[in-house]
Amino acid sequence: MITKDEIVRPDDVSLLLFLTLLNFVNYVDRNLIGSFANWIVPELDLSNTEFALISGVLFIFVYAIGGVLMGTIADRVNRMKFIAFGVAIWSFLTAVSGAARGFYSLAIPRMLVGVGESVLAPSALSTIGDRFPNEWQGFAVGVFGMAVPLGLGGSLFIVAYLEPLFGWRGCFYLMGLFGLVLALIAYFVRETPRTNKNHSSDLHISVPVIVATIFTLLKGSKVLSLTLAGSMIFGLLIGATVFDQLWFVQERGFDRNEIAGITAWLAIAGGLVGNFFGGLGGDLFMRKTGLGRPFFLALVMLCLAPLILAYRLVDPNSIWFLTGIFAIFFQMACFYAPVFATIQEIVPSNQRGLIFGFIVLMIQVAGVAIGITSGGILIDWFSHQGYSGPYTIVLVIYTCISFFAIPIFALAGWYFRDEHLKSKR
């Protein structure tokens, strides 16, 4: 028998789609720097290391540290109004980024963009967790996560089709204006009631309490710890792929607008298919086997591993090259739902914002930021040493490193069954 709490209403779907739109704009803004790399790097005379700092450490450090703080606040305040505040901040600073004339004038606003963007994920995921029943969490989080590859694809569409009309600076201004309009709409969206009755509105935040809460949850759940570890390793590859557009042009011989258009379409296709496959497939796999969604993710990554590695080495005119681009976006999209739906299910409602913020912190700082920054340093080093194909070498290295996440996700999925059974006793 289906209870009232297990029914998904049209209003729930509408809110999910609006949050997904905000997340889409979030990831478009976030990826504009990488997508416009072939314009920004030469015009501002940036080295690969400086480009990595702007798109990596400087942004991600503020974004990830802010995620823990913002997640803690999101557990205490009206989340939709808090989201509106975050969207307004990052949209204004995206527009400011378009006026950059050098390293520092781009680095400072991009770093501060992280403050605004760190609000959305913990607040939105906490809201989704309260709005949808457990059996729909994978699907709901998958739809929200669909914005990740679609946002990258959207930023590449902007490069391919709007840059010729407005220039890269004009595209930053337009995205900033669009975001401010969405922030105004978000401010008037009604808050979702929290399912946990112990919710506190006390805004006093104690760092020792935050640390103790995170430590207790990680210590008490092998699933959470292993899912985090696998996600950080996979994050290294996500970080390194920020150099893909430079790799396409400098080492694979593509025109910068042409390859932006090609990858945009493949990102959209791979992102859509991957998110639905990761969300629905992970849910179905868990119901049929009793194993956790991370085990399903491990199987997907294992199947794709040979293709994703070969893609870095094959002739760019080969069909396998385009298939590899699709596979990269498919895998990135598949990653989101199994990981965050698992966290939704094992973390109490009144601690989700904090844990989502912490998970994002660790993935971004210990994964993505290291991947971007070390990747830029290695590319410059291989170039100075006279190696042929420095971008290819570095991207192959990080692709191989990402394979270590496969057994870790498999273990997380295996332990999920035991933890889930214990929680029901």
Side-chain angles (χ1 to χ4, degrees), residues 31 33-35 37 51-52 55-56 237-246 371-372 395:
N31 285 294
I33 295 290
S35 297
F51 175 68
S55 55
L237 175 62
I238 295 175
T241 57
V242 77
F243 294 100
D244 272 354
Q245 290 299 308
L246 292 167
I372 296 174
L395 290 168

Side-chain angles (χ1 to χ4, degrees), residues 261-274:
I262 292 171
T263 51
W265 285 107
L266 291 172
I268 297 296
L272 283 170
V273 176

